[in-house]
Amino acid sequence: MTLDRRAGHTSVPRIRRQDFGVLTPPRLGDGEPTLTVTVVIPAHDRQETLDLTLAALSAQSYPADLTDIVVVDDGSTPPLRLPELVPPRTRLIPARPGGWGRAWAVQTGLDAATGDVVLVLDADMVPHREHVEAQLRWHHLAPYLVVLGWIDFTPAERLPTPEQVRASVRAGTEESLFPLSPHRHDWAEQIIHEHDGLRTAPSSLATRIHVGATASYPAALLRSIGGLDTSLVLAEDTELGYRLTQAGAVFVPDPEARAWHLGLPTAMRDFATLKRHNDPYVADRVPYRRHLRTDPGRQWLVPYVDAYVPAGAYEDVRATVDALLASSLPDIRVTITGPWASLGSGRRSPLRDADLDLRLVHATFEHDPRVRLAGESAWPGAEPAAGAALDVMPPFRLLIPPGWVPARDSVERLVGHLEAHDSGAVCLALDETGEGVLVARLERVSALARAALVAEPGERLDDVLDEVFGLEWLDGASWDVTRRPLVYPPRRRPVPEAERLAVRREKELAQLRDRTAALRAELARLRKEVGKRERDAARWRDKAETWRREAVRLSRTQDRTVLRKAVRRIRSLAFPDA
């Protein structure tokens, strides 16, 4: 993916993961902006609030000669009109034919936008004076930032006039325009505050705070991922946030880019109904939402892991693909790359065909919906391809040579390792040959995209990947990735998983029973020994008592003998003649 590096971006700053703290934006009012911005406002039957939005935009601190406004009428009845109080260079256009909804209207505005940056602002928003400036100052620092405004909600029961809004915004007294509602995007603000302004948030979490009511994007980045998914009428900002993550974007929430939201959004007024509607669409398109993918055996539009296996010997390829399809992670998509177009249908010797292995692989997996047979050009290169047609990339990509078999939980454990460390890639050393080290590799697609965005020409991409996300080498055997069995496919029916587990449990129970019997025997022996010792102790206690009594008797006998001798001695002294 290549981006426009205008506005002095001779070298692109390298942000590690989400830590945009390496960037220092100018204070509001400072700096010399050069980027042009197109503000896209999708609107449907919101004439009254649209008038206030445009009035606030007419008093922005960002230079008017760098700003243009595109209002997209999404089938309003009656059609929207531009009020008298509008910024210079404001256009009102209808949504292009063939669709409807917010995503459709925003995409129409994106197609008409001419700015370096596209700022999407809903028609029920009243931005503060520095709202556009606060967001655009970040875009001057790096061309892959997605900047999010800070929203205050108001009941907006009595609206001011456009003239009052413009005067207040121009004077910098926007806070007094409306009463503040106690409602906030608490979940998003909690994530932001708990992760140092989002700088320490992991990739799978940072994407969640993308709320499209006020957000700005580098136009080149937004177009490189195909724009919005216009098949969605709700949850389009959630889906867009995921694809922006996959493109290598960094999300920057700016509390100084403040704006009023007139009234409460549907997510606050009827959250349960909205969630019930959105969950199936989000589950299908955003693999990071693991809690929405609990249905066993389901397949999804966007898998969690994209596994690539190059064509080779039939037994090798089959063993590797079979193991991947049996993974404890159900949402794995397997792509086998090979020269499939070279397989002609002409007469040949079936058993001596030079392409026999390739044909057998083709025949084995041709009709499996979980497996794709793609040309050799589909093998991932160093930089993930970006298409203009919503080519949604899964979060993780596994490259594994044929003939190597991961255990049932190997891929899941490896993904967990990447997630726990928010790393960019792990390389598993499988074997060392005369040609070098044979490697399996699990990659975070968003990390690869980031590395491609910031790498200088001629720079080794893995070095950049290690710098911006981290790259780790591990031993394949320690993660249970081993060579395939010598005989494959197995010559007997594979034991079903439930039966295999039952046999293993029965063996474990038998071992436990033997251990229990041994412990019981040991306990009986110890009890017998304790009984004998107790009897011996009682016998010795009796003997000790007998000896004590004898000692007392002897002592008394001795005492009497001594006394009699003493008396006789005294008498002999006193009465010598007696």
Side-chain angles (χ1 to χ4, degrees):
M1 183 186 300
T2 57
L3 297 180
D4 187 352
R5 297 188 178 186
R6 282 183 286 175
H9 294 307
T10 54
S11 62
V12 180
R14 298 185 176 184
I15 298 173
R16 185 169 176 84
R17 301 189 179 107
Q18 260 287 134
D19 189 11
F20 56 85
V22 298
L23 304 178
T24 304
R27 292 182 301 176
L28 294 176
D30 294 344
E32 297 180 2
T34 58
L35 292 178
T36 58
V37 56
T38 297
V39 181
V40 174
I41 306 175
H44 174 72
D45 291 345
R46 284 195 172 273
Q47 185 68 62
E48 187 177 17
T49 59
L50 172 65
D51 292 353
L52 303 186
T53 301
L54 292 172
L57 287 173
S58 69
Q60 289 294 300
S61 60
Y62 199 74
D65 61 333
L66 297 176
T67 307
D68 68 295
I69 315 293
V70 177
V71 180
V72 183
D73 187 351
D74 180 28
S76 301
T77 305
L80 296 174
R81 55 170 179 76
L82 287 181
E84 294 182 3
L85 194 56
V86 296
R89 303 172 62 196
T90 298
R91 292 178 287 160
L92 173 62
I93 62 175
R96 57 188 174 87
W100 61 278
R102 184 180 182 277
W104 190 268
V106 172
Q107 186 60 44
T108 299
L110 173 61
D111 294 340
T114 59
D116 301 317
V117 177
V118 173
L119 193 158
V120 178
L121 189 68
D122 282 354
D124 52 7
M125 303 287 291
V126 175
H128 286 218
R129 175 171 174 76
E130 290 93 2
H131 186 79
V132 175
E133 178 189 347
Q135 295 197 36
L136 264 291
R137 59 180 173 168
W138 290 97
H139 291 288
H140 284 76
L141 303 178
Y144 56 94
L145 304 181
V146 173
V147 187
L148 308 172
W150 204 261
I151 302 175
D152 295 311
F153 295 92
T154 177
E157 296 171 352
R158 298 179 60 182
L159 297 178
T161 66
E163 290 75 17
Q164 290 172 324
V165 167
R166 181 177 183 178
S168 182
V169 171
R170 180 171 288 173
T173 59
E174 310 93 326
E175 292 193 20
S176 63
L177 273 172
F178 307 100
L180 181 65
S181 168
H183 297 282
R184 303 200 63 80
H185 277 142
D186 294 330
W187 59 271
E189 293 182 12
Q190 182 179 357
I191 291 174
I192 293 168
H193 292 317
E194 289 180 351
H195 294 87
D196 192 19
L198 209 64
R199 288 185 286 272
T200 61
S203 304
S204 56
L205 183 64
T207 180
R208 291 187 57 190
I209 56 95
H210 177 255
V211 178
T214 168
S216 54
Y217 318 88
L221 178 67
L222 193 54
R223 292 189 175 106
S224 73
I225 64 171
L228 281 83
D229 185 346
T230 55
S231 68
L232 295 172
V233 294
L234 290 174
E236 73 287 339
D237 51 352
T238 300
E239 191 276 340
L240 178 61
Y242 168 71
R243 281 189 293 115
L244 287 166
T245 299
Q246 295 306 95
V250 171
F251 294 90
V252 180
D254 191 339
E256 293 189 282
R258 295 180 61 188
W260 286 106
H261 189 292
L262 306 181
L264 299 182
T266 305
M268 293 183 180
R269 290 182 280 106
D270 198 355
F271 174 76
T273 302
L274 181 69
K275 187 176 186 302
R276 180 174 181 269
H277 174 277
N278 287 353
D279 277 358
Y281 297 95
V282 174
D284 212 23
R285 293 164 171 80
V286 184
Y288 275 135
R289 301 295 179 92
R290 305 306 295 163
H291 66 284
L292 298 179
R293 292 191 173 187
T294 57
D295 317 60
R298 284 285 308 280
Q299 297 298 305
W300 309 90
L301 175 64
V302 183
Y304 196 40
V305 177
D306 225 353
Y308 285 81
V309 182
Y314 167 62
E315 290 79 6
D316 287 345
V317 174
R318 179 168 175 179
T320 301
V321 175
D322 286 350
L324 291 171
L325 296 179
S327 171
S328 57
L329 275 179
D331 43 351
I332 291 183
R333 179 174 63 190
V334 180
T335 300
I336 307 173
T337 60
W340 311 109
S342 67
L343 293 177
S345 58
R347 182 180 294 275
R348 64 187 181 278
S349 173
L351 302 183
R352 294 178 177 81
D353 184 2
D355 293 325
L356 179 58
D357 282 70
L358 195 62
R359 290 186 191 277
L360 294 178
V361 172
H362 189 278
T364 300
F365 297 107
E366 179 183 10
H367 301 113
D368 192 325
R370 300 166 297 173
V371 179
R372 300 186 301 176
L373 301 176
E376 292 173 303
S377 60
W379 181 261
E383 179 179 347
L390 293 175
D391 182 17
V392 183
M393 298 293 291
F396 302 101
R397 190 169 68 188
L398 174 66
L399 314 179
I400 183 168
W404 290 86
V405 178
R408 186 174 184 273
D409 64 345
S410 294
V411 178
E412 185 172 13
R413 288 191 293 122
L414 282 167
V415 169
H417 182 80
L418 270 188
E419 283 289 78
H421 299 86
D422 202 24
S423 300
V426 291
C427 297
L428 299 180
L430 303 177
D431 193 15
E432 188 170 2
T433 68
E435 299 178 356
V437 178
L438 192 62
V439 175
R441 178 177 172 124
L442 182 68
E443 305 167 330
R444 185 186 297 274
V445 172
S446 60
L448 288 173
R450 176 82 59 77
L453 289 176
V454 303
E456 297 292 339
E459 195 170 11
R460 187 169 176 267
L461 197 68
D462 270 1
D463 293 338
V464 184
L465 176 64
D466 188 34
E467 182 179 348
V468 297
F469 264 89
L471 185 149
E472 185 178 6
W473 279 86
L474 301 171
D475 175 38
S478 65
W479 292 85
D480 298 324
V481 181
T482 57
R483 290 186 183 275
R484 70 166 175 87
L486 186 61
V487 177
Y488 200 90
R491 297 308 182 192
R492 57 185 178 181
R493 179 184 66 86
V495 179
E497 180 69 9
E499 185 177 331
R500 186 182 65 81
L501 289 175
V503 171
R504 190 172 73 182
R505 295 291 182 267
E506 189 58 40
K507 288 182 179 179
E508 292 173 352
L509 285 173
Q511 292 173 350
L512 290 174
R513 291 191 192 102
D514 293 343
R515 180 61 176 160
T516 301
L519 289 174
R520 284 175 176 168
E522 178 70 8
L523 182 60
R525 186 186 66 78
L526 291 174
R527 283 174 175 169
K528 184 177 181 180
E529 185 175 331
V530 168
K532 179 178 180 299
R533 290 180 178 179
E534 288 179 347
R535 290 192 298 272
D536 290 345
R539 187 167 62 251
W540 283 109
R541 280 196 297 269
D542 292 342
K543 288 184 178 181
E545 181 62 21
T546 301
W547 292 341
R548 186 188 67 81
R549 290 175 180 175
E550 181 65 16
V552 170
R553 185 186 66 78
L554 291 174
S555 176
R556 289 175 178 173
T557 301
Q558 183 178 6
D559 288 346
R560 285 195 295 271
T561 302
V562 171
L563 181 60
R564 282 197 296 269
K565 289 181 178 180
V567 170
R568 286 197 301 270
R569 178 65 176 164
I570 292 171
R571 283 178 179 174
S572 65
L573 292 174
F575 308 101
D577 298 328

